[in-house]
Amino acid sequence: MHIGHIDGQTQLVGIMGYPVAHSLSPEMHNAAFAELGMNWRYVPLLVPPERLAEALRGVLALGFRGVNVTVPHKVTCIPHLDSVTEAVTIAGAVNTIRIDASKGRLEGLNTDMSGFLTDLAVNHVSVNEESRVVILGAGGAARSIGAGLARSGAHITFVNRTVERGVQIADFLRSSWEGCKVEAVGLEQLAEVSHDATLIINATSVGMFPYIDASPWRDDVPFPKDAVLYDTIYRPLQTKLMRDAERSGLRVIGGLGMLIYQGAAAFELWTGKKPPIELMRQVCLRRLSES
Ligand SMILES: NC(=O)c1ccc[n+]([C@@H]2O[C@H](COP(=O)([O-])OP(=O)(O)OC[C@H]3O[C@@H](n4cnc5c(N)ncnc54)[C@H](OP(=O)(O)O)[C@@H]3O)[C@@H](O)[C@H]2O)c1
């Protein structure tokens, strides 16, 4: 890969994860910097959990402009930050950190939530009081998405293998917004809660590479007619769940858009510039079709 010119003015951003080598973000952001002629670089930073605090002080000391954080640091980084946004408090997770080196401050933000909502809007999926949303999963992504949708007035049901995790999120969202219609059930109640769903979101990791023949949907449960299925997984681009749902007549959307829009939001927060979205999509599509 051509790195181009690096000099004393080069600004650095990156991603902290463990592992991190699979991340598409370095290629996506570096392509955007090159396209806009910006002297910025985005680097992968392999940070084991026990070195996270040190690593965060490290990027501050080194003058980085920001970092993304991914698994397993999205929640554990929060106590090490100087401030967080309302979206972080609600989602309980950070995926983007903005660094103000002059003030020595780290600010935690969540662009997964806005990335998901932007992609829904781009795909003309509207969520309102009439909507019945089923979210499969109750991990970090499910919580961010649920929190992002809670204010729409939609009826939201978390369906998770470990029902207590869903119940915890539902309790939290209800306590945050009066009148928020949210509940949580176990997988055995999928048929009951999904028969009239208008939007189904897979926020579990089931079906993700390399376990591409797995699906979080139960074989004995029919897909609701006329629903939209959104799978947050983007590797593979088309999951078994998406194929099965499409065969049953549902409109399906994969998670690549969410990835791109969370990255685009981080890019704009760090640089103040709008990134070239289509180029970022092409870069990711190329990488994903190679793997
Ligand atoms: N497109 C994007 O930009 C984007 C951004 C963030 C995340 N994501 C995707 O979101 C997904 C979840 O990520 P996360 O960070 O929320 O992970 P997480 O916090 O580890 O949560 C994983 C979820 O998957 C469920 N799960 C895992 N294995 C399962 C199995 N064998 N059967 C049933 N349920 C299972 C877990 O259920 P239990 O609670 O029972 O363990 C939990 O609800 C991943 O596929 C990730 O790629 C996409």
Side-chain angles (χ1 to χ4, degrees):
M1 191 186 123
H2 180 62
I3 299 291
H5 180 79
I6 290 180
D7 60 22
Q9 305 300 318
T10 305
Q11 303 294 312
L12 288 175
V13 287
I15 180 164
M16 291 185 181
Y18 195 76
V20 77
H22 64 286
S23 173
L24 298 176
S25 295
E27 242 171 289
M28 177 167 87
H29 284 270
N30 285 324
F33 292 143
E35 173 78 6
L36 297 183
M38 294 171 67
N39 191 4
W40 286 56
R41 297 295 184 282
Y42 186 112
V43 290
L45 302 163
L46 183 67
V47 177
E50 67 280 9
R51 308 211 69 171
L52 177 63
E54 259 179 287
L56 287 168
R57 301 330 285 175
V59 286
L60 184 58
L62 291 167
F64 274 59
R65 302 294 296 272
V67 283
N68 284 129
V69 284
T70 187
V71 178
H73 305 313
K74 286 186 170 186
V75 177
T76 51
C77 70
I78 294 176
H80 305 294
L81 305 177
D82 298 296
S83 63
V84 294
T85 58
E86 190 201 14
V88 169
T89 310
I90 294 164
V94 162
N95 79 320
T96 300
I97 297 173
R98 186 160 51 183
I99 302 176
D100 184 340
S102 64
K103 297 197 180 104
R105 289 179 61 81
L106 301 168
E107 181 192 14
L109 306 109
N110 186 311
T111 67
D112 279 339
M113 190 197 279
S114 60
F116 170 77
L117 293 175
T118 303
D119 198 36
L120 272 194
V122 166
N123 281 286
H124 308 290
V125 178
S126 66
V127 179
N128 53 42
E129 294 82 7
E130 309 295 312
S131 310
R132 299 191 71 85
V133 182
V134 168
I135 300 178
L136 304 172
R143 184 170 157 144
S144 293
I145 288 170
L149 293 175
R151 271 189 256 220
S152 65
H155 185 283
I156 300 170
T157 309
F158 289 93
V159 181
N160 197 43
R161 176 179 63 177
T162 314
V163 67
E164 303 77 47
R165 289 186 84 189
V167 169
Q168 260 178 22
I169 302 178
D171 287 348
F172 174 79
L173 293 179
R174 267 195 305 269
S175 69
S176 304
W177 288 291
E178 207 178 315
C180 167
K181 294 175 281 177
V182 54
E183 61 180 329
V185 300
L187 272 170
E188 67 289 349
Q189 280 179 264
L190 178 63
E192 213 173 296
V193 299
S194 67
H195 71 94
D196 59 352
T198 54
L199 174 63
I200 299 162
I201 300 158
N202 176 31
T204 76
S205 43
V206 182
M208 196 159 80
F209 180 84
Y211 306 106
I212 58 172
D213 294 327
S215 166
W217 197 261
R218 283 174 50 161
D219 284 343
D220 57 345
V221 176
F223 286 102
K225 289 206 182 333
D226 301 325
V228 173
L229 177 112
Y230 191 106
D231 199 331
T232 63
I233 292 174
Y234 53 82
R235 195 192 305 258
L237 286 164
Q238 212 194 19
T239 60
K240 174 170 174 8
L241 173 63
M242 288 166 72
R243 283 197 304 276
D244 291 348
E246 199 163 34
R247 254 198 306 273
S248 295
L250 278 73
R251 181 180 166 211
V252 301
I253 304 168
L256 182 62
M258 178 177 173
L259 174 79
I260 289 163
Y261 290 114
Q262 66 73 30
F267 187 101
E268 205 171 334
L269 282 161
W270 295 325
T271 66
K273 292 188 195 303
K274 294 226 177 290
I277 301 277
E278 251 337 283
L279 173 73
M280 290 162 88
R281 190 188 304 278
Q282 291 313 319
V283 167
C284 291
L285 278 173
R286 197 172 56 231
R287 254 290 290 281
L288 289 167
S289 51
E290 279 165 6
S291 55

